[in-house]
Amino acid sequence: MSVQTQSCNNTARMSDQNLMEKIVSLAKRRGFVFPASEIYGGIAGFWDYGPYGVELVNNLKQLWWRKVVQERDNIFGVDGAIIQNPKLWEASGHVAGFTDPLVDCKNCGARHRADHLADTDSTDIKELTELLKDVVCPTCGKKTLMPPRTYNMMMKTWVGPVEDNSSIAYLRPETAGSIFTNFKNVVDSMHPKLPFGIAQVGKAFRNEIAPRDFIFRVREFEQMEMQYFISPDTQTEVYESWRHFAWDFMTKTVGVREENLQWHEHAENERAHYAAAAHDIYFKFPHGFKELWGTHNRTNFDLTSHAKASGQDLGYLDEETKERFIPYVIESSVGVSRMLLAVLTDAYREDTMGEEVRTYLALAPKIAPVKAMVSPLLKNKPELVAKAREVRAELQKVHPAIAWDDNGNIGKRYRRQDEIGTPFCITIDFDTLGETLDLKGTVTLRNRDTGTQERLSVAEVADRIRTAIE
Ligand code: GAP
């Protein structure tokens, strides 16, 4: 049986503002993302993942870990503490240089990101001063903006019972820090040969001046970062291969459409203090093409700085040439919540099915939080329920994320699963039990994207799910 579908998404794309509102609303309604401490009015820049959000981000993180660490012999995982010795952040340049440009309004006291207000990627204060000289404050509308200045984004805390300057510590602003400080430990414990990498997935904190655009710019987030240690003469080819890895991961592994991605090469006035080259993948978020994933050539900046500040030898001895040198580093770095927003934006669809407008998430089955839903046609028929339970248990041998839903009519169950991006719905009816003899043992398999339904054996359904999530 086939159901007529007509896509609104491709023909008349909804306005971008509208799209962001729809995604935020779906994310809350269907248990993906909730405002942190919402019952107290929330807190700017902090969000919680709900039941489906946590499954989806876990799938993204697991795929990244598999592709970066598990499928390779020369990349090692670590999981460092969020709070490290503050000397780490002095040596890395973050205490002095991890800044964003801001402007204050003399009239109303509002504070804005200077580069956002000037609509530029540059963070150069001279350039921003020039660009903002005739700009009015977006909050009060007056031409009373003060000269732009820099502002350190690291979040501070105190370690121990005394709150003074000697006990200040920082919540890490990037996970890369403890990768560099563990360089020597990994060399001494794993004895890798160059090139090799160290990877980490974990929380990072930035006191963003203007957290905004839902989970795009937040103050607490997770990063998936990998530092690849190399000999300097291979920097160009290794850099190229990691930036293409990022592109392939998004398109082939996560399954977002290529048309939603583009490259952005950093100009000199845009690069972080440690980077000699940087390419971002920009994604077409509802608020425009913006940074999703960075590849950076950090040269030997970090290991050299940490060697100098700690007094430790962070060199690498090439056994063949007997040469000792500080390796260069190519970094691959992406934020988990940004990847989640990219995935939700890419997957969000509306179409007309039958007479009704429906919303669905066209998530790739391997990242979908629920792989399939099993349902008895009627919940008050014990024989249907028992058979459906049996089918679900069978399918859970393929993947545990097989949901059960017997609430409301079958159409409502399908709509719920469409909105969370479940690729398949399986219904057990009287034909399954043998009412129509030649259909005995078969079930209905409904496809999320097309709404088409087929009758298949349970073994065939299991195969479909297995193939889809591979
Ligand atoms: N270790 C390099 C580094 O941290 P970055 O460009 O500052 O580089 C890397 O951050 C990635 O982390 C970004 O491409 C983005 O995906 C994510 N990210 C950075 N700041 C973020 C924020 N405030 N909210 C959400 N994600 C953020």
Side-chain angles (χ1 to χ4, degrees):
M1 178 169 68
S2 122
V3 180
Q4 276 293 316
T5 67
Q6 182 201 348
S7 171
C8 311
N9 197 52
N10 297 332
T11 45
R13 196 169 166 85
M14 59 208 86
S15 89
D16 294 344
Q17 176 62 24
N18 207 357
L19 176 60
M20 185 65 114
E21 279 165 17
K22 286 177 171 187
I23 290 171
V24 174
S25 158
L26 182 144
K28 175 140 193 266
R29 188 172 71 247
R30 289 295 175 209
F32 284 93
V33 182
F34 305 132
S37 40
E38 191 185 15
I39 58 167
Y40 294 106
I43 169 167
F46 298 88
W47 297 86
D48 296 340
Y49 294 129
Y52 293 124
V54 70
E55 294 295 336
L56 181 43
V57 298
N58 279 346
N59 291 343
L60 295 171
K61 289 190 285 186
Q62 276 160 15
L63 279 170
W64 185 92
W65 194 257
R66 186 166 131 189
K67 291 277 162 208
V68 173
V69 179
Q70 292 172 331
E71 288 184 2
R72 299 167 196 261
D73 290 330
N74 70 340
I75 299 194
F76 306 92
V78 294
D79 186 4
I82 283 167
I83 293 179
Q84 300 277 336
N85 189 317
K87 286 180 186 160
L88 187 168
W89 305 114
E90 282 163 26
S92 68
H94 284 81
V95 172
F98 193 57
T99 55
D100 263 347
L102 68 77
V103 271
D104 287 315
C105 174
K106 215 171 7 184
N107 178 52
C108 70
R111 182 165 275 190
H112 308 278
R113 270 281 293 262
D115 50 340
H116 293 170
L117 213 53
D119 196 20
T120 173
D121 287 325
S122 169
T123 50
D124 184 273
I125 293 293
K126 250 197 190 148
E127 255 178 85
L128 289 166
T129 308
E130 188 53 30
L131 286 169
L132 290 173
K133 69 179 193 299
D134 293 321
V135 171
V136 296
C137 169
T139 309
C140 67
K142 296 228 163 83
K143 213 173 130 189
T144 42
L145 292 177
M146 314 263 279
R149 61 193 172 87
T150 53
Y151 153 90
N152 195 298
M153 288 195 288
M154 281 211 292
M155 293 229 191
K156 275 185 196 166
T157 187
W158 292 270
V159 174
V162 185
E163 292 187 10
D164 65 12
N165 282 347
S166 67
S167 60
I168 284 179
Y170 302 97
L171 306 192
R172 63 183 178 193
E174 59 174 18
T175 60
S178 56
I179 291 185
F180 294 119
T181 52
N182 275 310
F183 170 79
K184 189 167 163 13
N185 288 331
V186 172
V187 169
D188 293 346
S189 56
M190 310 305 288
H191 311 289
K193 286 206 171 10
L194 280 195
F196 72 90
I198 305 180
Q200 172 159 222
V201 177
K203 292 268 183 175
F205 301 81
R206 297 183 187 180
N207 200 4
E208 295 280 354
I209 300 161
R212 59 182 189 176
D213 302 316
F214 188 33
I215 49 174
F216 177 82
R217 187 172 302 287
V218 290
R219 289 175 165 148
E220 174 179 343
F221 55 102
E222 277 178 296
Q223 288 184 312
M224 302 191 276
E225 296 204 295
M226 189 281 317
Q227 315 295 325
Y228 204 63
F229 300 95
I230 57 168
S231 156
D233 52 333
T234 60
Q235 57 184 301
T236 309
E237 70 201 66
V238 175
Y239 180 78
E240 286 304 305
S241 78
W242 280 104
R243 78 186 180 91
H244 291 294
F245 167 80
W247 187 277
D248 286 349
F249 186 88
M250 287 313 297
T251 54
K252 297 185 183 146
T253 306
V254 171
V256 307
R257 290 166 290 183
E258 285 217 329
E259 73 221 43
N260 285 334
L261 303 178
Q262 59 180 225
W263 285 113
H264 170 79
E265 183 173 5
H266 283 217
E268 200 165 341
N269 60 10
E270 217 189 307
R271 287 203 291 264
H273 58 277
Y274 49 73
H279 270 87
D280 289 334
I281 290 180
Y282 271 27
F283 179 84
K284 192 177 181 195
F285 291 102
H287 56 295
F289 269 105
K290 303 275 172 202
E291 175 185 342
L292 167 65
W293 189 325
T295 305
H296 313 124
N297 180 347
R298 293 180 76 131
T299 66
N300 58 6
F301 170 85
D302 301 272
L303 289 180
T304 306
S305 307
H306 289 304
K308 206 163 140 202
S310 66
Q312 301 283 322
D313 179 0
L314 300 183
Y316 171 86
L317 176 68
D318 186 320
E319 296 287 358
E320 274 164 33
T321 61
K322 301 290 172 218
E323 191 196 347
R324 195 167 182 87
F325 63 96
I326 303 248
Y328 266 41
V329 170
I330 303 299
E331 171 181 71
S332 182
S333 173
V334 60
V336 174
S337 64
R338 261 190 214 182
M339 193 183 282
L340 173 63
L341 183 58
V343 161
L344 292 176
T345 307
D346 185 83
Y348 187 92
R349 311 283 159 90
E350 287 175 3
D351 65 7
T352 318
M353 191 167 270
E355 298 293 287
E356 272 177 52
V357 173
R358 74 155 179 158
T359 302
Y360 68 104
L361 292 182
L363 295 172
K366 69 179 127 181
I367 63 167
V370 174
K371 308 303 176 195
M373 180 274 278
V374 174
S375 188
L377 183 64
L378 300 168
K379 73 169 171 188
N380 58 357
K381 296 286 172 203
E383 61 278 34
L384 286 181
V385 174
K387 183 67 187 169
R389 292 262 176 224
E390 191 191 298
V391 170
R392 182 189 188 210
E394 196 55 33
L395 296 178
Q396 281 183 313
K397 292 179 188 160
V398 178
H399 197 287
I402 308 291
W404 173 265
D405 192 353
D406 57 9
N407 234 333
N409 68 41
I410 204 82
K412 285 215 174 92
R413 296 179 208 167
Y414 288 162
R415 295 294 176 276
R416 266 199 296 274
Q417 297 300 323
D418 286 346
E419 284 207 328
I420 61 168
T422 305
F424 304 110
C425 287
I426 294 118
T427 305
I428 280 63
D429 57 18
F430 291 105
D431 286 338
T432 316
L433 303 180
E435 196 172 273
T436 308
L437 213 52
D438 55 350
L439 294 180
K440 189 170 180 197
T442 65
V443 297
T444 304
L445 179 78
R446 174 187 178 269
N447 179 298
R448 172 197 65 202
D449 298 348
T450 59
T452 50
Q453 299 186 14
E454 303 167 74
R455 280 219 79 100
L456 297 173
S457 70
V458 177
E460 286 169 322
V461 170
D463 267 354
R464 281 287 172 89
I465 299 172
R466 194 177 292 113
T467 311
I469 61 179
E470 259 167 23

